[in-house]
Amino acid sequence: MTVNLLGLDGPALKAFCAGLGEKPYRARQLMRWIHHAGADDFGVMTDISKPLRERFSRSAVIAAPRVLADSTAADGTRKWLLDVGTGNAIETVFIPESNRGTLCVSSQAGCALECSFCSTGRQGFNRNLTVDEIVGQLWLASRALRSRDAATPGAPQERPISNVVMMGMGEPLANFDNVAAALRLMLDDCAYGLSRRRVTVSTSGLVPAIDRLREECPVALAVSLHAPDDRLRDELVPINRKYPLKDLLAACVRYLDKAPRDFVTFEYVMLAGVNDGLQQARALAKLLRRMPCKINLIPFNPFPDSGYARSDVETVARFREILMHEGYVTTIRKTRGDDIDAACGQLAGRVQDRTRRTQRRLVRFAPAPAESIQGAR
Ligand code: SAH
Ligand code: SF4
């Protein structure tokens, strides 16, 4: 059976080498070729003997998901739409900023948690992504960005991706084992060598899995809060009925013991007339009292028949002022990639609708027209 080496973290790659009677250092060699150099062909691995390269190629492949579309917005945001088989598409978004480059990575095709304002939730759950499909997103993006930079005279030579956020499609902590293996590769010096502080898992609040992440692979944590009380959160983020705010916030406090950062980020999507009232800002400030945290207000990304509208700019500014006045560092997420539907879940949803309509025949992607769908999460 051939194995896809993109899905093997350090221990798994060592086990693969041991299976072929090879020493552990071979695993590190392979890892550097695959993840540092972006190799997908054993032939280029010149510090490995030819007979061994041939043995590797008989038992393994290095294969990322197929790129269905690759578009770059006017602001430099770049989005890949990837085929993960049986009509499922996932998305990966690169967001360049002056001091960092962030890759937004998907963890599942669809999502089972059905948050009421989320386009991915609306698509339902298809399946967990495998480790190679998760890591393949980073591998593909690093390769594409490196070759772009190499082609641009004077472009910075350092690695273009400095941060990863698990904020694409899906709930990362509902695919724990695969996400944890992918995180280990992101952190491994022989692979992507990212610092724990620069890798963020965003969760809607799976309390036992937050505890597990704390034990097994503590990275920066973002929690999708979106409401200041259980009544409203039950409606917006239904997993709250299972893990209510009190339990969720207690898990956040426990997480801070081991977290690489000394705060948790709370995400709060601003939905007009639903959770953006001034009383709600005060209630949120009260709820988070004594919690070391930052709050990130996210402009809602509309999608067809969502039933919600984006809060206006003044309302968001007032909401922020109240939180700042109460002592919370509060940021407003900048919308990016407006012209390419860069908000995660939206493009794939659209392609999947089309795919269904054409009896799951994969249609060639044509860039969507510019419209008011905005923002890369
Ligand atoms: N499942 C995880 C991570 C993926 S979603 C989670 O829920 O945290 C990443 C972020 O985008 C979450 O904060 C989510 O609530 C938010 N989000 C989902 N749909 C959105 C929309 N239509 N507009 C703005 N943010 C949205
Ligand atoms: Fe799933 Fe996150 Fe969307 Fe909720 S917001 S449905 S957890 S992807």
Side-chain angles (χ1 to χ4, degrees):
M1 208 185 79
T2 45
V3 39
N4 189 350
L5 298 190
L6 275 187
L8 302 191
D9 63 1
L13 208 49
K14 275 188 195 133
F16 165 76
C17 290
L20 294 175
E22 290 298 320
K23 299 243 163 58
Y25 80 91
R26 293 287 184 205
R28 288 193 296 278
Q29 255 177 328
L30 278 172
M31 220 187 231
R32 285 198 203 96
W33 277 113
I34 297 167
H35 302 288
H36 282 183
D40 58 358
D41 174 1
F42 295 99
V44 303
M45 303 182 179
T46 45
D47 55 357
I48 300 176
S49 74
K50 201 154 172 238
L52 182 53
R53 279 185 261 157
E54 278 163 10
R55 283 176 62 215
F56 281 149
S57 60
R58 276 196 296 277
S59 46
V61 292
I62 302 159
R66 190 165 68 91
V67 177
L68 290 171
D70 172 356
S71 30
T72 304
D75 65 8
T77 302
R78 185 163 170 183
K79 177 164 183 159
W80 294 267
L81 184 71
L82 305 175
D83 176 17
V84 290
T86 52
N88 288 315
I90 57 155
E91 301 168 343
T92 308
V93 182
F94 176 67
I95 305 145
E97 286 171 279
S98 56
N99 55 347
R100 63 183 167 193
T102 303
L103 193 71
C104 180
V105 169
S106 295
S107 56
Q108 299 181 310
C111 181
L113 297 185
E114 299 187 329
C115 299
S116 57
F117 52 86
C118 174
S119 150
T120 306
R122 195 60 72 82
Q123 291 162 39
F125 177 66
N126 292 307
R127 66 171 174 83
N128 281 331
L129 297 186
T130 56
V131 184
D132 51 280
E133 288 166 338
I134 301 170
V135 173
Q137 299 171 61
L138 183 50
W139 183 86
L140 270 172
S142 306
R143 235 164 86 118
L145 294 166
R146 238 184 281 128
S147 61
R148 174 207 63 179
D149 288 351
T152 315
Q157 288 308 303
E158 70 265 29
R159 280 181 287 171
I161 298 169
S162 59
N163 296 54
V164 170
V165 293
M166 298 296 304
M167 291 188 189
M169 300 171 72
E171 167 52 51
L173 295 185
N175 182 13
F176 192 96
D177 291 336
N178 293 347
V179 166
L183 293 175
R184 283 193 290 274
L185 274 166
M186 292 174 197
L187 302 175
D188 196 314
D189 282 336
C190 292
Y192 297 93
L194 296 173
S195 105
R196 283 182 191 279
R197 302 158 55 87
R198 290 173 172 270
V199 176
T200 301
V201 165
S202 173
T203 179
S204 56
L206 300 186
V207 166
I210 294 175
D211 286 327
R212 223 182 129 191
L213 190 69
R214 163 182 179 267
E215 291 309 318
E216 295 182 25
C217 195
V219 291
L221 183 69
V223 171
S224 297
L225 206 58
H226 308 317
D229 58 72
D230 282 319
R231 193 196 52 76
L232 182 58
R233 197 164 189 270
D234 281 352
E235 192 186 304
L236 301 179
V237 186
I239 193 69
N240 193 68
R241 296 176 204 154
K242 192 158 178 197
Y243 305 115
L245 283 168
K246 188 166 147 290
D247 299 351
L248 176 58
L249 296 180
C252 293
V253 171
R254 290 194 292 277
Y255 195 83
L256 284 170
D257 268 9
K258 297 249 176 94
R261 290 187 179 271
D262 55 7
F263 61 89
V264 171
T265 302
F266 289 108
E267 297 162 277
Y268 196 100
V269 63
M270 298 294 289
L271 304 167
V274 174
N275 65 354
D276 65 349
L278 304 186
Q279 275 309 103
Q280 286 160 315
R282 288 187 200 103
L284 181 61
K286 198 162 161 217
L287 177 75
L288 297 179
R289 188 124 301 143
R290 285 188 289 278
M291 172 76 72
C293 65
K294 289 187 181 173
I295 301 169
N296 194 205
L297 304 177
I298 313 177
F300 171 62
N301 294 302
F303 56 93
D305 304 320
S306 72
Y308 294 104
R310 181 182 286 191
S311 307
D312 59 45
V313 174
E314 297 75 37
T315 307
V316 179
R318 273 204 305 276
F319 199 93
R320 174 173 185 246
E321 261 163 43
I322 292 174
L323 294 170
M324 298 278 281
H325 183 76
E326 295 285 339
Y328 295 94
V329 174
T330 309
T331 49
I332 300 173
R333 182 161 307 165
K334 255 209 309 237
T335 55
R336 300 284 304 253
D338 307 14
D339 44 342
I340 57 162
D341 279 357
C344 290
Q346 299 184 329
L347 189 53
R350 194 182 290 212
V351 167
Q352 277 162 26
D353 281 352
R354 252 190 285 166
T355 309
R356 277 182 201 117
R357 252 182 270 141
T358 52
Q359 274 78 44
R360 296 189 174 273
R361 183 166 52 84
L362 283 171
V363 288
R364 201 176 147 57
F365 162 78
E371 52 181 58
S372 61
I373 296 174
Q374 295 189 332
R377 297 199 295 263

